Amino acid sequence: MKLKLKLKLALLLILIGATGLGFYFHQRYALKERHILVPEKRYKDEVLRIGIIGDSWAMGMTIDTIIKNEFLKHGIRAEVTSFGQPEAKTKQIYDNLYANLDQPYSSYNILHHNLDYCIILAGTSDAEGAMGAKFYAYYCSLIISDLARSHIEPVFVTMPEFGFKEETDSLGILKKMRNELASLLIDNGSTHSLDEYRKQANEMLKDTRLKDSAIVVPFNLVCDDYQKHKILYRNSGHLSTLGKQKLGRLIAEYILNKYNLNKEKATEKQQPNTNMVETERAKKTKRA
């Protein structure tokens, strides 16, 4: 009798453990539905408004200041506001857009502050946490599409190069076990390579046609190999001041190119068609 009781208790504990583990994995990795979005009317004025959202890479004033100064060099006054959250995955970055103002790391103002552009700096925490390429691409697509639907031009910085191996090797044993299990169960091993995240995001941009709605900034133009360009990094997971300067200037260059293109198109629309004007003049002359 005692042996049967012990066996039942053991089975019960295994069942409770498996249920708890299943709930944990579901909460952590499941792809949830998008938030309800009510786009607001936008107005144009002399100030160019730019937002930055993301993980710890979006925190601090360095990149904000660099981008602002780059625009000032071209005689453009820009207002840059950033909302970063340490270790935030793309899911949390997306949820923060809809979080109430009183909640920590809320980026509610991004959708309600008449922005022209919004820079998305994310991915390192997804890769380090073995969230999987599909998870990363899915939430990036929600962020990009909701910004575009809000008439804010998304500026998507592709998955950054960083000390991926160094970061994952430094994890504790339990996190390493969790990541290995997640890699096998959720994403068929694609969590082991940054290239898989980049590939999945690129396919998402093409398949959803969001590439046409966003400015895509390829991070490989900043750094294509962490080991060869460590001077650009403060540590294995974050850029140094030099790295931030290079990234900030690259982002500013891409936004400026699109800004000038949009300005040219707007000017062309405002100018009357010369041929039509000449035709109307000719008609009036004949009638006279």
Side-chain angles (χ1 to χ4, degrees), residues 210-241:
L210 287 174
K211 200 168 187 177
D212 300 330
S213 307
I215 299 170
V216 181
V217 181
F219 189 86
N220 67 310
L221 296 181
V222 176
C223 177
D224 60 355
D225 191 319
Y226 168 76
Q227 295 296 336
K228 292 180 180 178
H229 303 282
K230 285 191 176 181
I231 193 172
L232 298 174
Y233 294 83
R234 174 167 54 87
N235 53 41
S236 57
H238 298 89
L239 291 172
S240 63
T241 301

Side-chain angles (χ1 to χ4, degrees), residues 123-131 162-180 191-194 197 236-237:
T124 56
S125 297
D126 289 65
E128 185 183 340
M131 304 310 296
F162 69 105
F164 180 49
K165 185 178 185 302
E166 288 80 354
E167 285 290 299
T168 51
D169 284 350
S170 67
L171 295 173
I173 186 66
L174 290 177
K175 286 186 177 180
K176 283 182 180 179
M177 289 174 62
R178 177 203 64 195
N179 287 1
E180 286 299 322
T191 57
H192 292 310
S193 169
L194 292 179
Y197 286 88
S236 57

